[in-house]
Amino acid sequence: MSTALGNHILVEFMNCDPHIMNDVAAIERDMVDAAKKAEATVINSTFHHFSPYGVSGVVVIQESHLAIHTWPEYGYAAVDVFTCGEMNAWIAFDYLKESFQAKSYSAIEMKRGSVNLLTRNDFDISSMRQKANEWVNPGFYTRNVWFTDKDENQALSLRFTGEVFYDHQSPFQRVRILESYKYGKMLALDDMVMTTENDEFHYHEMISHPALFMHPNPKNVLVIGGGDGGTIREVLRHPGVEKVTMVEIDGAVIEACKEHLPNIAASFDDPKLTLLVDDGIAFAQNAAPGTYDVILVDGSDPVGPAEGLFSVSFYTNCYNALKEDGILVAQGESPKFNEKAFRELNHTLQDIFGADKAPVSLFFVPTYPTGMWSFQYGLKGNIQGPIHQKEAEIEAFVSTNGLRYYNSALHNASFALPNFVKELIKK
Ligand code: SPD
């Protein structure tokens, strides 16, 4: 007869598949399945992914718990399996070893709660026992799986359902479509949230309409990046636009969004669109001077394939590719999250377009860290500042197209900057 209340195995799984070690959905599923294989009753699970890498989580079982912390960069997982009663923790161990593809492992087994060291209280537990007997496991468990986009000091977390609709390592990045409870399906590139079904309109309306109303007659538009299709969808709402060229480096993003985010990827079949799966940086370098009225740079954050989208040479090439009078809009990062990238981009645009020709528009995206995000402009030639005189025209457009973020008042208001932002970009 056991002289302990519980059994605890502390496991080191080493040389595991690093992709699995960074996949919060797969790890949650494997931990829950491991508990079930060992005939435990699962009560709930809470898992977090930490950007760029690492997963922590716990599965609470009626017989105690399973917990994990992973370091994908070392292919390592530290796992605890704590059980009470008859449950065999080693069944869970075997299952996880296979699932994580651990090439080496070790484990320590400890008895917990040695009854020889404990004194039993003599309080009356008969009423609790009665209640416990009446309690029926609801037959489902609660999942808490969190996707976290963060730097070293702050984060934004979205609880997601655990559903993964698309997961592909392209030559450029890991492309995933996951499902969040609050914002629906979302596109994540290398663990950073790019867009979600429920708040995508904030970004896509604000990257396109202010510039297209600021320009007196935009006909030829270039979109660099924007593989989810939301930006071209908005641009193509403007009847005066005759031609849109979109250059996206990663065909996997387009494929994933066409299949799983069709309301965002809604305009890929538009006859005005020329779609190129190609390097936008090289495209800008080779573009004929004076070609475009408006260039929209819908890139991801300045790591991985989008890093070059924040360089002086790229924006100089874009400047040259604009017509004599033209507007550039770039995804400008956040003045509260990545201040350095935000400031450096603005200084680059000031240097190329002129100190008073690089306005910034702020807007709100609840699924990006801090929520405060920006588009940064370069105004070339005679394009006048951001403030419009087109209230009636804009309001008619907003109502015809059922826009949900942009309107004529917001057009002007989004260029009004808080003092700390003005300070941040001052040269
Ligand atoms: N941190 C998020 C930066 C997002 C950049 N691009 C979003 C793509 C939406 N079309």
Side-chain angles (χ1 to χ4, degrees), residues 193-195 203-204 228 231 298-301 331 368 373:
V193 178
M194 289 296 123
T195 201
Y203 183 101
H204 295 124
D228 51 62
T231 298
D298 181 6
S300 44
D301 303 285
Q331 187 279 102
Y368 290 172
W373 220 257

Side-chain angles (χ1 to χ4, degrees), residues 395-411:
E395 286 310 319
F397 179 86
V398 165
S399 131
T400 308
N401 290 287
L403 300 190
R404 289 183 291 160
Y405 196 98
Y406 177 75
N407 60 42
S408 64
L410 197 70
H411 176 118

Side-chain angles (χ1 to χ4, degrees), residues 80-139:
D80 292 8
V81 184
F82 193 123
T83 60
C84 300
E86 297 306 306
M87 178 186 160
N88 183 350
W90 292 102
I91 295 176
F93 168 89
D94 285 335
Y95 184 81
L96 292 173
K97 185 180 75 186
E98 293 305 314
S99 306
F100 296 165
Q101 297 169 28
K103 294 195 184 57
S104 49
Y105 46 84
S106 67
I108 302 169
E109 183 170 27
M110 295 172 72
K111 296 293 171 200
R112 301 294 302 272
S114 171
V115 288
N116 295 322
L117 299 173
L118 302 173
T119 309
R120 196 179 175 112
N121 290 310
D122 60 356
F123 72 102
D124 175 17
I125 57 167
S126 53
S127 63
M128 295 181 210
R129 185 167 283 144
Q130 175 66 26
K131 279 208 181 83
N133 286 342
E134 285 163 9
W135 186 80
V136 181
N137 190 293

